[in-house]
């Protein structure tokens, strides 16, 4: 079994012995109940990974003796998913599974046909849940790079992002082209747009096409918005050699 991963401050990982305290240390000591001699990995979430062994356990902290310290290169090309807001807890489900599949950035999108709306008074709380979910899923997946979760985007914001991308696609069940037949660039940024359960509006499709995004389909079935992103990531990870 692979060692558990915990987040630590980047500067702390330079030492030969790292004290893991705060919420992460408390979780390791009291929830995971790690003991002296057990293997553990620490990361700053930005590519630095430390492999070590628990040297001592306190009430709310661990001391980790560092055995290996390495810098993990950032994956290329960068995979970004623009995710229309799903209903209920399906937003966190989408974030969790896409993080496990290797997404580099998730952009929440207030699409025209979204049932869910992040009103001003709840936006920060909802965004915080997505970011917390991404952080925990990255640890579970033993990732050295945590995915970014951007601020809530409008359709105009998404179009601007698509214009800057090295490649951009919009998942659409009526598209003739298949994502699996695409020839992705070897580097840069690939942006995938996932629409809401009610579908992407014609005006949104037009705006994205004008920004250079191509409509593609995944397969013969129609997926929920909360699962389409992870399916697209799996295809792209294989096509780009990341898997």
């Amino acid at each position: 079994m692979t060692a558990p991963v915990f987040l630590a401050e980047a500067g702390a990982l330079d030492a030969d012995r790292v004290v893991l305290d705060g919420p992460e240390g408390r979780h390791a000591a009291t929830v995971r109940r790690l003991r002296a001699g057990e293997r553990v990995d620490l990361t700053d979430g930005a590519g630095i990974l430390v492999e070590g062994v628990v040297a001592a356990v306190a009430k709310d902290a661990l001391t980790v003796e560092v055995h290996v310290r390495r810098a993990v290169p950032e994956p290329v090309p960068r995979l970004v998913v623009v995710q229309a807001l799903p209903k209920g807890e399906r937003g966190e489900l989408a974030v969790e599974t896409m993080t496990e599949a290797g997404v580099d950035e998730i952009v929440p999108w207030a699409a025209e046909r979204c049932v869910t709306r992040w009103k001003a008074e709840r936006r920060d709380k909802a965004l915080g849940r997505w970011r917390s979910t991404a952080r925990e899923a990255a640890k579970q997946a033993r990732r050295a790079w945590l995915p970014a979760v951007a601020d809530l985007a409008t359709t105009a914001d998404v179009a601007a992002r698509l214009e800057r991308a090295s490649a951009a696609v919009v998942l659409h069940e009526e598209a003739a082209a298949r994502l699996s037949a695409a020839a992705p660039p070897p580097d840069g940024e690939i942006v995938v747009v996932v629409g809401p359960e009610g579908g992407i509006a014609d005006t949104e499709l037009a705006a994205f096409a004008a920004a250079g995004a191509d409509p593609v389909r995944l397969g013969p079935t129609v997926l929920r918005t909360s699962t389409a992103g992870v399916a697209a990531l799996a295809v792209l990870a294989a096509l780009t050699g990341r898997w």
Side-chain angles (χ1 to χ4, degrees):
M1 183 176 177
T2 55
V5 174
F6 296 94
L7 291 172
E9 295 293 333
L13 298 181
D14 294 334
D16 292 333
R17 284 199 167 203
V18 178
V19 176
L20 183 69
D21 53 14
E24 291 288 284
R26 188 177 307 112
H27 182 77
T30 63
V31 178
R32 293 297 299 265
R33 297 183 180 275
L34 294 178
R35 295 293 178 258
E38 292 191 75
R39 275 275 290 111
V40 65
D41 289 348
L42 306 177
T43 181
D44 64 348
I48 301 300
L49 182 67
V50 162
E51 300 174 9
V53 172
V54 178
V57 181
K59 181 180 180 181
D60 293 327
L62 296 180
T63 299
V64 178
E65 182 178 336
V66 176
H67 286 185
V68 177
R69 182 183 296 104
R70 56 194 176 94
V72 179
E74 189 171 10
V76 292
R78 200 163 183 270
L79 301 180
V80 179
V81 175
V82 175
Q83 175 67 61
L85 302 181
K87 295 182 289 185
E89 296 180 354
R90 288 189 175 275
E92 283 84 66
L93 173 63
V95 171
E96 180 180 53
T97 54
M98 288 192 292
T99 299
E100 292 173 2
V103 72
D104 296 301
E105 184 176 354
I106 300 168
V107 181
W109 169 39
E112 181 179 323
R113 294 176 179 169
C114 282
V115 174
T116 296
R117 294 291 172 184
W118 286 0
K119 296 181 180 179
E121 62 271 17
R122 58 169 296 193
R123 182 178 301 177
D124 289 346
K125 185 176 181 180
L127 192 57
R129 285 198 302 269
W130 280 36
R131 288 172 174 164
S132 177
T133 299
R135 183 172 60 250
E136 294 306 311
K139 289 161 54 180
Q140 188 279 330
R142 275 67 170 176
R143 290 183 54 165
W145 287 89
L146 266 64
V149 177
D151 291 333
L152 182 65
T154 64
T155 296
D157 295 331
V158 173
R161 186 67 179 265
L162 297 174
E163 286 183 343
R164 299 193 300 269
S166 302
V169 296
V170 179
L171 301 185
H172 198 280
E173 67 272 18
E174 295 180 1
R178 293 178 294 119
L179 180 60
S180 59
D187 51 25
E189 184 172 276
I190 301 173
V191 181
V192 179
V193 178
V194 179
E197 298 290 357
I200 301 176
D202 290 343
T203 53
E204 293 168 334
L205 283 172
F208 298 159
D214 297 318
V216 296
R217 61 183 172 89
L218 285 169
T221 60
V222 178
L223 303 182
R224 283 186 176 273
T225 185
S226 54
T227 54
V230 69
L233 285 168
V235 173
L236 289 171
L239 290 175
T240 58
R242 287 181 52 162
W243 280 11

